[in-house]
PDB file of all heavy atoms in Angstrom:
ATOM      1  N   HIS A 190     103.230  87.512 107.737  1.00  0.00           N
ATOM      2  CA  HIS A 190     103.150  86.304 106.934  1.00  0.00           C
ATOM      3  C   HIS A 190     102.502  86.650 105.600  1.00  0.00           C
ATOM      4  O   HIS A 190     101.839  87.687 105.449  1.00  0.00           O
ATOM      5  CB  HIS A 190     102.328  85.232 107.674  1.00  0.00           C
ATOM      6  CG  HIS A 190     102.375  83.874 107.019  1.00  0.00           C
ATOM      7  ND1 HIS A 190     103.552  83.251 106.636  1.00  0.00           N
ATOM      8  CD2 HIS A 190     101.383  82.981 106.709  1.00  0.00           C
ATOM      9  CE1 HIS A 190     103.293  82.089 106.109  1.00  0.00           C
ATOM     10  NE2 HIS A 190     101.998  81.907 106.121  1.00  0.00           N
ATOM     11  N   VAL A 191     102.677  85.795 104.597  1.00  0.00           N
ATOM     12  CA  VAL A 191     102.026  85.993 103.309  1.00  0.00           C
ATOM     13  C   VAL A 191     101.731  84.626 102.696  1.00  0.00           C
ATOM     14  O   VAL A 191     102.502  83.667 102.831  1.00  0.00           O
ATOM     15  CB  VAL A 191     102.930  86.831 102.364  1.00  0.00           C
ATOM     16  CG1 VAL A 191     104.260  86.149 102.106  1.00  0.00           C
ATOM     17  CG2 VAL A 191     102.213  87.113 101.044  1.00  0.00           C
ATOM     18  N   VAL A 192     100.572  84.513 102.052  1.00  0.00           N
ATOM     19  CA  VAL A 192     100.160  83.264 101.402  1.00  0.00           C
ATOM     20  C   VAL A 192      99.643  83.568  99.974  1.00  0.00           C
ATOM     21  O   VAL A 192      99.272  84.705  99.695  1.00  0.00           O
ATOM     22  CB  VAL A 192      99.043  82.514 102.191  1.00  0.00           C
ATOM     23  CG1 VAL A 192      99.512  82.242 103.599  1.00  0.00           C
ATOM     24  CG2 VAL A 192      97.739  83.315 102.187  1.00  0.00           C
ATOM     25  N   ILE A 193      99.637  82.537  99.147  1.00  0.00           N
ATOM     26  CA  ILE A 193      99.124  82.698  97.784  1.00  0.00           C
ATOM     27  C   ILE A 193      97.696  82.159  97.761  1.00  0.00           C
ATOM     28  O   ILE A 193      97.442  81.034  98.233  1.00  0.00           O
ATOM     29  CB  ILE A 193     100.017  81.891  96.781  1.00  0.00           C
ATOM     30  CG1 ILE A 193     101.429  82.460  96.817  1.00  0.00           C
ATOM     31  CG2 ILE A 193      99.435  81.957  95.357  1.00  0.00           C
ATOM     32  CD1 ILE A 193     102.433  81.607  96.030  1.00  0.00           C
ATOM     33  N   PHE A 194      96.815  82.923  97.187  1.00  0.00           N
ATOM     34  CA  PHE A 194      95.406  82.534  97.073  1.00  0.00           C
ATOM     35  C   PHE A 194      95.265  81.569  95.906  1.00  0.00           C
ATOM     36  O   PHE A 194      95.643  81.881  94.777  1.00  0.00           O
ATOM     37  CB  PHE A 194      94.542  83.763  96.871  1.00  0.00           C
ATOM     38  CG  PHE A 194      93.071  83.501  96.749  1.00  0.00           C
ATOM     39  CD1 PHE A 194      92.283  83.342  97.896  1.00  0.00           C
ATOM     40  CD2 PHE A 194      92.484  83.404  95.506  1.00  0.00           C
ATOM     41  CE1 PHE A 194      90.913  83.093  97.785  1.00  0.00           C
ATOM     42  CE2 PHE A 194      91.115  83.179  95.380  1.00  0.00           C
ATOM     43  CZ  PHE A 194      90.336  83.023  96.535  1.00  0.00           C
ATOM     44  N   GLY A 195      94.660  80.393  96.183  1.00  0.00           N
ATOM     45  CA  GLY A 195      94.517  79.393  95.127  1.00  0.00           C
ATOM     46  C   GLY A 195      93.060  79.162  94.650  1.00  0.00           C
ATOM     47  O   GLY A 195      92.829  78.359  93.764  1.00  0.00           O
ATOM     48  N   GLY A 196      92.112  79.910  95.247  1.00  0.00           N
ATOM     49  CA  GLY A 196      90.714  79.749  94.868  1.00  0.00           C
ATOM     50  C   GLY A 196      89.834  79.409  96.062  1.00  0.00           C
ATOM     51  O   GLY A 196      90.298  78.849  97.051  1.00  0.00           O
ATOM     52  N   TRP A 197      88.564  79.778  95.974  1.00  0.00           N
ATOM     53  CA  TRP A 197      87.626  79.483  97.052  1.00  0.00           C
ATOM     54  C   TRP A 197      87.284  78.004  97.091  1.00  0.00           C
ATOM     55  O   TRP A 197      87.171  77.369  96.058  1.00  0.00           O
ATOM     56  CB  TRP A 197      86.358  80.298  96.882  1.00  0.00           C
ATOM     57  CG  TRP A 197      86.553  81.786  96.913  1.00  0.00           C
ATOM     58  CD1 TRP A 197      86.488  82.668  95.867  1.00  0.00           C
ATOM     59  CD2 TRP A 197      86.894  82.567  98.064  1.00  0.00           C
ATOM     60  NE1 TRP A 197      86.786  83.939  96.280  1.00  0.00           N
ATOM     61  CE2 TRP A 197      87.020  83.916  97.627  1.00  0.00           C
ATOM     62  CE3 TRP A 197      87.103  82.258  99.423  1.00  0.00           C
ATOM     63  CZ2 TRP A 197      87.346  84.937  98.507  1.00  0.00           C
ATOM     64  CZ3 TRP A 197      87.436  83.287 100.287  1.00  0.00           C
ATOM     65  CH2 TRP A 197      87.540  84.609  99.851  1.00  0.00           C
ATOM     66  N   THR A 198      87.084  77.478  98.291  1.00  0.00           N
ATOM     67  CA  THR A 198      86.693  76.092  98.457  1.00  0.00           C
ATOM     68  C   THR A 198      85.211  75.929  98.756  1.00  0.00           C
ATOM     69  O   THR A 198      84.731  74.808  98.851  1.00  0.00           O
ATOM     70  CB  THR A 198      87.522  75.405  99.553  1.00  0.00           C
ATOM     71  OG1 THR A 198      87.259  76.049 100.820  1.00  0.00           O
ATOM     72  CG2 THR A 198      89.003  75.465  99.252  1.00  0.00           C
ATOM     73  N   ASP A 199      84.512  77.026  98.977  1.00  0.00           N
ATOM     74  CA  ASP A 199      83.056  76.947  99.232  1.00  0.00           C
ATOM     75  C   ASP A 199      82.362  78.187  98.657  1.00  0.00           C
ATOM     76  O   ASP A 199      82.989  79.210  98.362  1.00  0.00           O
ATOM     77  CB  ASP A 199      82.760  76.834 100.743  1.00  0.00           C
ATOM     78  CG  ASP A 199      83.247  78.022 101.549  1.00  0.00           C
ATOM     79  OD1 ASP A 199      83.693  79.022 100.951  1.00  0.00           O
ATOM     80  OD2 ASP A 199      83.218  77.919 102.771  1.00  0.00           O
ATOM     81  N   SER A 200      81.075  78.044  98.457  1.00  0.00           N
ATOM     82  CA  SER A 200      80.309  79.109  97.814  1.00  0.00           C
ATOM     83  C   SER A 200      80.123  80.341  98.751  1.00  0.00           C
ATOM     84  O   SER A 200      79.780  81.416  98.258  1.00  0.00           O
ATOM     85  CB  SER A 200      78.938  78.594  97.383  1.00  0.00           C
ATOM     86  OG  SER A 200      78.222  78.084  98.519  1.00  0.00           O
ATOM     87  N   THR A 201      80.357  80.156 100.053  1.00  0.00           N
ATOM     88  CA  THR A 201      80.181  81.277 100.983  1.00  0.00           C
ATOM     89  C   THR A 201      81.434  82.133 101.101  1.00  0.00           C
ATOM     90  O   THR A 201      81.429  83.134 101.793  1.00  0.00           O
ATOM     91  CB  THR A 201      79.817  80.749 102.393  1.00  0.00           C
ATOM     92  OG1 THR A 201      80.861  79.902 102.871  1.00  0.00           O
ATOM     93  CG2 THR A 201      78.535  79.917 102.331  1.00  0.00           C
ATOM     94  N   HIS A 202      82.512  81.713 100.454  1.00  0.00           N
ATOM     95  CA  HIS A 202      83.817  82.411 100.480  1.00  0.00           C
ATOM     96  C   HIS A 202      84.327  82.573 101.905  1.00  0.00           C
ATOM     97  O   HIS A 202      84.906  83.612 102.256  1.00  0.00           O
ATOM     98  CB  HIS A 202      83.673  83.790  99.805  1.00  0.00           C
ATOM     99  CG  HIS A 202      83.494  83.670  98.312  1.00  0.00           C
ATOM    100  ND1 HIS A 202      83.518  84.772  97.476  1.00  0.00           N
ATOM    101  CD2 HIS A 202      83.279  82.608  97.511  1.00  0.00           C
ATOM    102  CE1 HIS A 202      83.300  84.368  96.232  1.00  0.00           C
ATOM    103  NE2 HIS A 202      83.151  83.054  96.220  1.00  0.00           N
ATOM    104  N   LYS A 203      84.147  81.522 102.696  1.00  0.00           N
ATOM    105  CA  LYS A 203      84.681  81.533 104.053  1.00  0.00           C
ATOM    106  C   LYS A 203      86.003  80.739 104.130  1.00  0.00           C
ATOM    107  O   LYS A 203      86.729  80.878 105.087  1.00  0.00           O
ATOM    108  CB  LYS A 203      83.662  80.956 105.020  1.00  0.00           C
ATOM    109  CG  LYS A 203      82.447  81.847 105.243  1.00  0.00           C
ATOM    110  CD  LYS A 203      81.512  81.237 106.274  1.00  0.00           C
ATOM    111  CE  LYS A 203      80.295  82.149 106.493  1.00  0.00           C
ATOM    112  NZ  LYS A 203      79.333  81.565 107.492  1.00  0.00           N
ATOM    113  N   ARG A 204      86.256  79.923 103.132  1.00  0.00           N
ATOM    114  CA  ARG A 204      87.483  79.145 103.115  1.00  0.00           C
ATOM    115  C   ARG A 204      88.071  79.152 101.699  1.00  0.00           C
ATOM    116  O   ARG A 204      87.342  79.251 100.698  1.00  0.00           O
ATOM    117  CB  ARG A 204      87.244  77.686 103.578  1.00  0.00           C
ATOM    118  CG  ARG A 204      86.719  77.574 104.975  1.00  0.00           C
ATOM    119  CD  ARG A 204      86.465  76.130 105.345  1.00  0.00           C
ATOM    120  NE  ARG A 204      87.691  75.331 105.501  1.00  0.00           N
ATOM    121  CZ  ARG A 204      88.393  75.304 106.624  1.00  0.00           C
ATOM    122  NH1 ARG A 204      87.989  75.978 107.682  1.00  0.00           N
ATOM    123  NH2 ARG A 204      89.500  74.583 106.718  1.00  0.00           N
ATOM    124  N   TYR A 205      89.390  79.071 101.630  1.00  0.00           N
ATOM    125  CA  TYR A 205      90.041  79.113 100.341  1.00  0.00           C
ATOM    126  C   TYR A 205      91.253  78.203 100.365  1.00  0.00           C
ATOM    127  O   TYR A 205      91.718  77.769 101.441  1.00  0.00           O
ATOM    128  CB  TYR A 205      90.486  80.542  99.989  1.00  0.00           C
ATOM    129  CG  TYR A 205      91.553  81.080 100.900  1.00  0.00           C
ATOM    130  CD1 TYR A 205      92.919  81.079 100.522  1.00  0.00           C
ATOM    131  CD2 TYR A 205      91.250  81.617 102.134  1.00  0.00           C
ATOM    132  CE1 TYR A 205      93.895  81.565 101.357  1.00  0.00           C
ATOM    133  CE2 TYR A 205      92.229  82.122 103.001  1.00  0.00           C
ATOM    134  CZ  TYR A 205      93.555  82.094 102.603  1.00  0.00           C
ATOM    135  OH  TYR A 205      94.524  82.570 103.425  1.00  0.00           O
ATOM    136  N   THR A 206      91.776  77.847  99.213  1.00  0.00           N
ATOM    137  CA  THR A 206      93.017  77.075  99.124  1.00  0.00           C
ATOM    138  C   THR A 206      94.199  78.024  99.233  1.00  0.00           C
ATOM    139  O   THR A 206      94.329  78.970  98.448  1.00  0.00           O
ATOM    140  CB  THR A 206      93.096  76.300  97.794  1.00  0.00           C
ATOM    141  OG1 THR A 206      92.010  75.383  97.724  1.00  0.00           O
ATOM    142  CG2 THR A 206      94.422  75.537  97.675  1.00  0.00           C
ATOM    143  N   ALA A 207      95.039  77.785 100.189  1.00  0.00           N
ATOM    144  CA  ALA A 207      96.231  78.610 100.406  1.00  0.00           C
ATOM    145  C   ALA A 207      97.499  77.822 100.062  1.00  0.00           C
ATOM    146  O   ALA A 207      97.657  76.698 100.500  1.00  0.00           O
ATOM    147  CB  ALA A 207      96.293  79.090 101.861  1.00  0.00           C
ATOM    148  N   TYR A 208      98.380  78.435  99.261  1.00  0.00           N
ATOM    149  CA  TYR A 208      99.700  77.926  99.044  1.00  0.00           C
ATOM    150  C   TYR A 208     100.624  78.755  99.900  1.00  0.00           C
ATOM    151  O   TYR A 208     100.627  79.991  99.821  1.00  0.00           O
ATOM    152  CB  TYR A 208     100.101  78.020  97.559  1.00  0.00           C
ATOM    153  CG  TYR A 208      99.332  77.170  96.610  1.00  0.00           C
ATOM    154  CD1 TYR A 208      98.131  77.619  96.049  1.00  0.00           C
ATOM    155  CD2 TYR A 208      99.774  75.909  96.267  1.00  0.00           C
ATOM    156  CE1 TYR A 208      97.415  76.817  95.162  1.00  0.00           C
ATOM    157  CE2 TYR A 208      99.094  75.080  95.372  1.00  0.00           C
ATOM    158  CZ  TYR A 208      97.885  75.557  94.846  1.00  0.00           C
ATOM    159  OH  TYR A 208      97.164  74.774  93.951  1.00  0.00           O
ATOM    160  N   GLU A 209     101.436  78.104 100.709  1.00  0.00           N
ATOM    161  CA  GLU A 209     102.304  78.881 101.614  1.00  0.00           C
ATOM    162  C   GLU A 209     103.545  78.094 102.001  1.00  0.00           C
ATOM    163  O   GLU A 209     103.568  76.852 101.969  1.00  0.00           O
ATOM    164  CB  GLU A 209     101.540  79.263 102.895  1.00  0.00           C
ATOM    165  CG  GLU A 209     101.028  78.097 103.706  1.00  0.00           C
ATOM    166  CD  GLU A 209     100.307  78.513 104.952  1.00  0.00           C
ATOM    167  OE1 GLU A 209     100.682  79.537 105.560  1.00  0.00           O
ATOM    168  OE2 GLU A 209      99.359  77.792 105.362  1.00  0.00           O
ATOM    169  N   GLU A 210     104.573  78.836 102.390  1.00  0.00           N
ATOM    170  CA  GLU A 210     105.801  78.239 102.941  1.00  0.00           C
ATOM    171  C   GLU A 210     105.763  78.549 104.422  1.00  0.00           C
ATOM    172  O   GLU A 210     105.792  79.711 104.827  1.00  0.00           O
ATOM    173  CB  GLU A 210     107.057  78.842 102.293  1.00  0.00           C
ATOM    174  CG  GLU A 210     108.360  78.282 102.829  1.00  0.00           C
ATOM    175  CD  GLU A 210     108.536  76.793 102.547  1.00  0.00           C
ATOM    176  OE1 GLU A 210     108.936  76.428 101.442  1.00  0.00           O
ATOM    177  OE2 GLU A 210     108.286  76.009 103.500  1.00  0.00           O
ATOM    178  N   THR A 211     105.616  77.519 105.219  1.00  0.00           N
ATOM    179  CA  THR A 211     105.495  77.642 106.654  1.00  0.00           C
ATOM    180  C   THR A 211     106.078  76.390 107.285  1.00  0.00           C
ATOM    181  O   THR A 211     106.077  75.319 106.665  1.00  0.00           O
ATOM    182  CB  THR A 211     104.014  77.828 107.050  1.00  0.00           C
ATOM    183  OG1 THR A 211     103.915  78.135 108.445  1.00  0.00           O
ATOM    184  CG2 THR A 211     103.173  76.631 106.741  1.00  0.00           C
ATOM    185  N   PRO A 212     106.592  76.473 108.526  1.00  0.00           N
ATOM    186  CA  PRO A 212     107.135  75.271 109.118  1.00  0.00           C
ATOM    187  C   PRO A 212     106.114  74.132 109.166  1.00  0.00           C
ATOM    188  O   PRO A 212     104.955  74.362 109.460  1.00  0.00           O
ATOM    189  CB  PRO A 212     107.529  75.706 110.554  1.00  0.00           C
ATOM    190  CG  PRO A 212     107.762  77.179 110.402  1.00  0.00           C
ATOM    191  CD  PRO A 212     106.750  77.642 109.368  1.00  0.00           C
TER     192      PRO A 212
END
Side-chain angles (χ1 to χ4, degrees):
H190 190 49
V191 61
V192 303
I193 299 170
F194 180 83
W197 298 108
T198 61
D199 61 9
S200 58
T201 61
H202 290 188
K203 292 183 178 179
R204 298 178 71 86
Y205 66 98
T206 297
Y208 292 88
E209 60 179 327
E210 181 63 81
T211 187

